[in-house]
Amino acid sequence: MALEIKDSNFEEKVLNSEKPVLVDFWAAWCGPCRMLAPIIDELSNEYDGKAIIGKVDVDENQEFAAKYGVRNIPTVLVFKNGELVKRQVGVAQKETYVEILDSNL
């Protein structure tokens, strides 16, 4: 299960992480977000111990969505050493996220 990330713990969980962090910005009412959810959960299991896989509900947590210019959801951002290294807007195949994660491990 993906880590629930909120504005209150974003800095701690994402920006200060020693591991790469994949963050899915989503909302409950978003159809494509629901399509992406199982992929995010699979990645969470497969990368356990190697990377952090998290989700930010943009309806409840808008600060970092705004800071990183998330205008469409789902948007997946990947951070390494506190820096944004990759942005994927819309739903992509699982292999796309695997390639992004593997290239940042």
Side-chain angles (χ1 to χ4, degrees):
M1 200 66 189
L3 176 69
E4 185 178 350
I5 299 173
K6 300 177 177 291
D7 287 343
S8 60
N9 68 4
F10 192 93
E11 204 165 308
E12 172 196 349
K13 301 289 185 189
V14 178
L15 302 180
N16 294 335
S17 175
E18 294 181 5
K19 297 175 185 166
V21 185
L22 181 146
V23 184
D24 173 23
F25 288 84
W26 71 287
W29 49 264
C30 165
C33 298
R34 289 194 300 271
M35 290 171 47
L36 181 58
I39 295 172
I40 297 298
D41 287 337
E42 285 177 29
L43 292 171
S44 177
N45 292 331
E46 292 171 17
Y47 284 86
D48 187 35
K50 295 187 278 185
I52 307 291
I53 310 296
K55 298 176 71 136
V56 174
D57 184 335
V58 297
D59 286 337
E60 296 177 10
N61 303 279
Q62 299 175 356
E63 178 184 348
F64 288 94
K67 179 176 180 177
Y68 290 102
V70 174
R71 291 182 181 81
N72 300 305
I73 54 174
T75 292
V76 172
L77 302 181
V78 178
F79 294 84
K80 186 173 182 178
N81 300 321
E83 298 293 320
L84 176 62
V85 294
K86 185 69 177 170
R87 174 185 304 263
Q88 174 67 46
V89 179
V91 178
Q93 297 294 320
K94 180 180 175 184
E95 293 73 32
T96 301
Y97 305 106
V98 168
E99 288 173 16
I100 293 168
L101 283 166
D102 287 349
S103 69
N104 285 288
L105 288 177

